[in-house]
Amino acid sequence: MVDTPASPFRVVQWTTGNVGKSSVRAIAGNPNYELVGLFAWSEDKVGRDAGELAGIGPLGVTATNDAAELLALKPDCVIYNPMWINVDELVQILSAGVNVVTSASFITGHNLGEDRERLEQACRKGGSTLFGSGVSPGFAELLAIVAATACDRVDKVTITETADTTLYDSPDTERPVGFGTAIDDPNLEPMAARGTAVFAEAVRLVADAMGVELDDVTCTCEYAQTTEDLPMASWTIPAGHVAGVFASWQGIVNGQAVIDINVRWRKGQTLEPDWQLDGDGWKITIDGRPTVNMQVGFTPPPDLIASAKSLDDFFELGHIMTAMPPINAIPAVVAAEPGIATYNDLPLNLPRFPAQNR
């Protein structure tokens, strides 16, 4: 049996999008946590049971859009899963003395400028801690950091993410990086850099773990177009518009890249240039002594293969992988000193699951 805390961590779930639903299901199935509240953006979700919204049985927790009501519950932690962070919301939560773990575009906060100091001040005021992760960036960087501990010299860390996102239907997250933009649009060039800026924070996370002081963090981008209209579930990318995005964030020392975190995403079979992907997942290379190579992917377990009714059941794996790194960090975050914490500040997070989930 897994050791459990004397009393479960009391948590509030913030939003029930795809990742939030996976988060609710994971919390409901783990005796180390107790769901005490649920924040919902949409009016049509207010007043409904959290279990109903997550597609499981009733949990006796009713969704609300009243943040003050949820903070009055004095939870140990808020699990914050919007698509993008809202600094004002986080300041409100942290100032109230509630810890936050999040999958929403936050690793170190160094891209936020003055807003990062607002978050630090809120942590100091409330005695709370803010931690951000996800599967990528976040979990992938942790794997690279762990891999580098096998070396007595590290020359360069490279994390390469590749994915065919044809069946991934999330235009709100894909348009900001350039998908669907005309290939000759003068505004296209910086879009991928802006839309993937959180990866710059991931570069700094790895640099901090290595004890390396970077001279600069830079980004280069490339785009590919579809030569035919590309219909997808909820939108269509017209011919001549972006259906492939590449962004490489590099940490520079003495003019050389010592950290390279890059992503290459494509859609459809009519891409020009026709980027060929070596599967979906992450390739991690630690150039050093020794050089360490890791290929990381994910596949559905046999019970999911047997029970799946649609592709959506398989897509949930990505949502689970995004939700779980923050959830597994909760014990360490609750115990941490106030402030913004990263993987470099916390002990190794351990996967604590009930026996029936093994």
Side-chain angles (χ1 to χ4, degrees):
M1 293 295 291
V2 173
D3 293 335
T4 58
S7 58
F9 295 101
R10 302 174 70 254
V11 301
V12 164
Q13 175 64 40
W14 209 274
T15 71
T16 54
N18 288 327
V19 174
K21 290 176 183 177
S22 291
S23 179
V24 169
R25 289 192 281 266
I27 292 298
N30 194 321
N32 296 319
Y33 305 103
E34 178 188 0
L35 184 68
V36 298
L38 175 67
F39 181 85
W41 287 103
S42 306
E43 287 288 343
D44 63 333
K45 294 183 179 180
V46 172
R48 295 170 64 186
D49 186 90
E52 175 197 352
L53 292 172
I56 56 179
L59 297 176
V61 175
T62 302
T64 179
N65 58 7
D66 187 335
E69 174 186 332
L70 293 171
L71 297 178
L73 297 171
K74 299 190 179 304
D76 295 304
C77 194
V78 161
I79 304 170
Y80 188 83
N81 296 133
M83 191 177 300
W84 312 105
I85 66 167
N86 181 312
V87 173
D88 291 338
E89 276 187 341
L90 289 177
V91 166
Q92 181 185 10
I93 297 167
L94 295 164
S95 297
V98 179
N99 302 294
V100 175
V101 297
T102 180
S103 62
S105 63
F106 186 94
I107 299 295
T108 68
H110 282 101
N111 288 327
L112 299 177
E114 294 180 358
D115 280 338
R116 188 180 193 276
E117 178 56 27
R118 289 183 61 205
L119 294 172
E120 285 275 20
Q121 289 176 354
C123 289
R124 291 193 292 268
K125 177 181 178 181
S128 52
T129 304
L130 170 61
F131 171 80
S133 183
V135 63
S136 177
F139 176 70
E141 283 65 43
L142 178 61
L143 292 179
I145 292 167
V146 171
T149 63
C151 306
D152 71 358
R153 188 191 77 229
V154 174
D155 303 320
K156 184 178 181 181
V157 176
T158 304
I159 304 172
T160 298
E161 175 182 332
T162 56
D164 185 326
T165 68
T166 306
L167 298 178
Y168 177 68
D169 185 37
S170 182
D172 288 343
T173 59
E174 294 183 302
R175 284 195 173 104
V177 301
F179 280 107
T181 302
I183 197 71
D184 57 356
D185 189 319
N187 298 312
L188 175 62
E189 183 176 354
M191 288 182 68
R194 288 199 302 264
T196 62
V198 70
F199 285 90
E201 298 185 12
V203 168
R204 295 193 182 279
L205 173 70
V206 176
D208 289 345
M210 295 169 57
V212 172
E213 186 173 343
L214 300 175
D215 299 328
D216 197 7
V217 178
T218 64
C219 183
T220 59
C221 304
E222 300 173 12
Y223 302 93
Q225 64 179 314
T226 178
T227 58
E228 300 176 13
D229 288 356
L230 181 59
M232 289 171 293
S234 67
W235 62 310
T236 295
I237 298 179
H241 289 60
V242 171
V245 173
F246 170 81
S248 170
W249 285 95
Q250 300 184 348
I252 307 297
V253 176
N254 296 327
Q256 300 294 317
V258 297
I259 301 167
D260 182 357
I261 301 178
N262 60 79
V263 298
R264 190 178 297 274
W265 303 314
R266 66 166 291 161
K267 290 183 179 294
Q269 301 304 312
T270 56
L271 206 63
E272 184 184 85
D274 187 15
W275 296 342
Q276 297 301 303
L277 306 183
D278 186 19
D280 288 358
W282 296 268
K283 182 179 180 182
I284 298 172
T285 301
I286 314 298
D287 287 303
R289 192 171 66 177
T291 290
V292 181
N293 291 296
M294 300 172 62
Q295 190 80 34
V296 183
F298 58 94
T299 56
D303 58 328
L304 177 57
I305 294 174
S307 64
K309 297 179 176 61
S310 70
L311 285 173
D312 289 342
D313 293 322
F314 295 103
F315 288 148
E316 185 188 356
L317 295 177
H319 305 148
I320 292 170
M321 293 174 67
T322 301
M324 291 313 300
I327 291 174
N328 282 320
I330 288 174
V333 169
V334 171
E337 293 296 315
I340 294 173
T342 72
Y343 279 120
N344 298 330
D345 305 305
L346 303 178
L348 181 64
N349 300 326
L350 300 176
R352 299 296 193 186
F353 307 121
Q356 66 267 24
N357 286 4
R358 294 182 183 180

